[in-house]
Amino acid sequence: MDKKNQQPKKGEIDDFAKALLNKKTDMAIYADEQKKEDADEDQSVIDRKEAEQTLSSALDLLRKERGQSTIAEEEKRFYYSQLEENDGWEEEDDDFTTSSIEDLKTQSFDVESVAKALSDYDQNQEVKAKLKVDLNKSNAKGIAHKEEEKPKKKSRSKKKSRKLLPWIILVIVLGLGCLGGYAYKVYVWNPAHIVTEDMEKAYDRLVAYADEYGSDLDSSATLMSDSERLELLNMKEDYEMLNETQKSAINEYFQEQTKMTYLELVDELETFQEQVSDPENESYKTISDLLSKWSSLTASQQYQIIDLEAGYQDLPKVLQDRIDELASSNANTTFAKLVSQLRESRDASAQQQQQQLSSLQSQLSSLQSQLATNQQYASTLETELQTAQASGDSETIADLNTAIASNNDTISNLEKQIETIQAQIDQLNQ
């Protein structure tokens, strides 16, 4: 059937015109309700825009940290692509002419379908108007239009975006929380900077030990004993308690005081303790004991060091170094030099002793000879006294008694001298 036969009769209106009239009638009757709906919609739009603004600020901050473009820049690119896509659509939809109405007359429309079509058309017009406004704003700012930056996918519907909005906000909040926690851990809460009271006490104990050990390097100081030195091995827990900053400071302080870091000194003391406990190194204990009380020893006791020279040579270097420290502190020389000095001294003393012994022995022989002579003289006097007593010569008897008494005194003195010299000889021979 041709279009001419389908035209309405005079006085009648076609279905499309009727739908338009019904639409206007509804709008006039329900104007107040429409305004209320529009107000509610405006309020929801405001709330949505505020939420979107908060979300956009958070997303922009996160995107800047990642080196990405802001949301506004991405929206502008999206608007450009939409505008290009809608150019053809606008031309197609704007062709709302009489010819198109004539084509619509051939179709059957009801009121609801026509109203829906009008509503969709209004929405499309609003979208196009918004795109044009955004384009004008972008051009006013001098932003060039880039054709190559077209998005590959179309934007999602408003309904789906609203459903995803809470999840997006949650992800952003969690991300910012993670960033905040990481920043707090790095810049605020740093285990390397935390110092407890126990850590401070442990640090002070190690410093005190380093001070005392360092004083051993001073010749005027009293040297620490082996047991005192080995106390550092019992302070490992104190060192392990410290944080990294304190450990670094302790090692530097030990380097200044002892010429070794804490770790180096611990290694040396562990080796020292192991060598001291070895039965093959028994000579170390004998030598160290003698050197520790050196000033109170007699010459003969000091000479014992000479006999321990071979034992010293068999000791490991760490024990030899320790003996040299003791010798330097107590005898002002190294062990080798001390042994050399003692040997020279002993040899000189032995030569002197031999000379002294020879002299004493010569004196002893002379006294013994004198004693024998006086003893012989005493026998002669006793014989003469007996003869004078027999003859009754009183004068001779008196003279003989005087001579006998004097000779006995001489004999007594000679015996005492002999006893003294013999004691000296016996002492030298020890």
Side-chain angles (χ1 to χ4, degrees), residues 187-234:
Y187 298 106
V188 180
W189 186 85
N190 191 338
H193 300 153
I194 295 177
V195 178
T196 63
E197 183 178 356
D198 292 338
M199 293 166 65
E200 186 174 355
K201 291 180 179 179
Y203 185 89
D204 293 340
R205 285 192 292 269
L206 290 170
V207 168
Y209 178 92
D211 291 337
E212 185 176 1
Y213 190 100
S215 65
D216 285 355
L217 305 180
D218 184 1
S219 59
S220 63
T222 302
L223 197 65
M224 294 174 68
S225 65
D226 291 346
S227 59
E228 290 174 334
R229 283 196 168 193
L230 293 175
E231 286 180 0
L232 184 62
L233 301 181
N234 299 326

Side-chain angles (χ1 to χ4, degrees), residues 76-77 80 135 138-149:
K76 289 173 183 178
R77 296 192 188 100
Y80 296 151
L135 178 59
S138 300
N139 291 334
K141 294 181 179 180
I143 301 175
H145 175 62
K146 298 181 180 180
E147 296 181 356
E148 63 275 10
E149 297 184 354

Side-chain angles (χ1 to χ4, degrees), residues 126-257:
E126 291 177 0
V127 170
K128 290 189 290 181
K130 181 178 180 181
L131 291 174
K132 290 180 179 179
V133 171
D134 292 334
L135 178 59
N136 293 333
K137 291 181 179 179
S138 300
N139 291 334
K141 294 181 179 180
I143 301 175
H145 175 62
K146 298 181 180 180
E147 296 181 356
E148 63 275 10
E149 297 184 354
K150 294 182 180 180
K152 296 182 179 180
K153 297 182 180 180
K154 294 183 178 180
S155 60
R156 298 180 179 178
S157 64
K158 294 182 179 180
K159 184 176 181 181
K160 190 171 184 180
S161 298
R162 290 177 181 176
K163 290 182 179 180
L164 292 177
L165 182 60
W167 293 101
I168 294 174
I169 294 176
L170 178 61
V171 170
I172 293 174
V173 170
L174 291 176
L176 293 176
C178 292
L179 289 174
Y182 177 77
Y184 175 79
K185 181 180 182 298
V186 172
Y187 298 106
V188 180
W189 186 85
N190 191 338
H193 300 153
I194 295 177
V195 178
T196 63
E197 183 178 356
D198 292 338
M199 293 166 65
E200 186 174 355
K201 291 180 179 179
Y203 185 89
D204 293 340
R205 285 192 292 269
L206 290 170
V207 168
Y209 178 92
D211 291 337
E212 185 176 1
Y213 190 100
S215 65
D216 285 355
L217 305 180
D218 184 1
S219 59
S220 63
T222 302
L223 197 65
M224 294 174 68
S225 65
D226 291 346
S227 59
E228 290 174 334
R229 283 196 168 193
L230 293 175
E231 286 180 0
L232 184 62
L233 301 181
N234 299 326
M235 302 171 69
K236 289 183 178 180
E237 293 183 359
D238 289 340
Y239 180 78
E240 295 298 332
M241 186 187 301
L242 305 180
N243 58 40
E244 294 302 324
T245 302
Q246 289 179 309
K247 288 181 180 178
S248 177
I250 279 295
N251 278 284
E252 291 179 1
Y253 192 74
F254 266 72
Q255 182 70 43
E256 295 175 359
Q257 299 298 318

Side-chain angles (χ1 to χ4, degrees), residues 51-116:
E52 288 178 352
Q53 182 63 31
T54 303
L55 177 60
S56 296
S57 299
L59 287 174
D60 285 341
L61 178 60
L62 183 60
R63 290 173 68 86
K64 284 181 180 179
E65 293 178 354
R66 296 179 177 176
Q68 297 176 338
S69 302
T70 62
I71 296 175
E73 293 174 353
E74 294 293 337
E75 287 180 348
K76 289 173 183 178
R77 296 192 188 100
F78 175 74
Y79 291 155
Y80 296 151
S81 62
Q82 287 293 317
L83 185 60
E84 291 179 357
E85 292 178 1
N86 285 309
D87 285 343
W89 164 70
E90 182 178 1
E91 293 175 357
E92 180 181 352
D93 289 349
D94 285 346
D95 190 16
F96 190 76
T97 60
T98 305
S99 60
S100 64
I101 296 177
E102 292 294 331
D103 293 336
L104 290 174
K105 291 179 180 180
T106 60
Q107 301 179 13
S108 177
F109 293 95
D110 56 9
V111 174
E112 293 180 356
S113 62
V114 173
K116 184 177 183 301

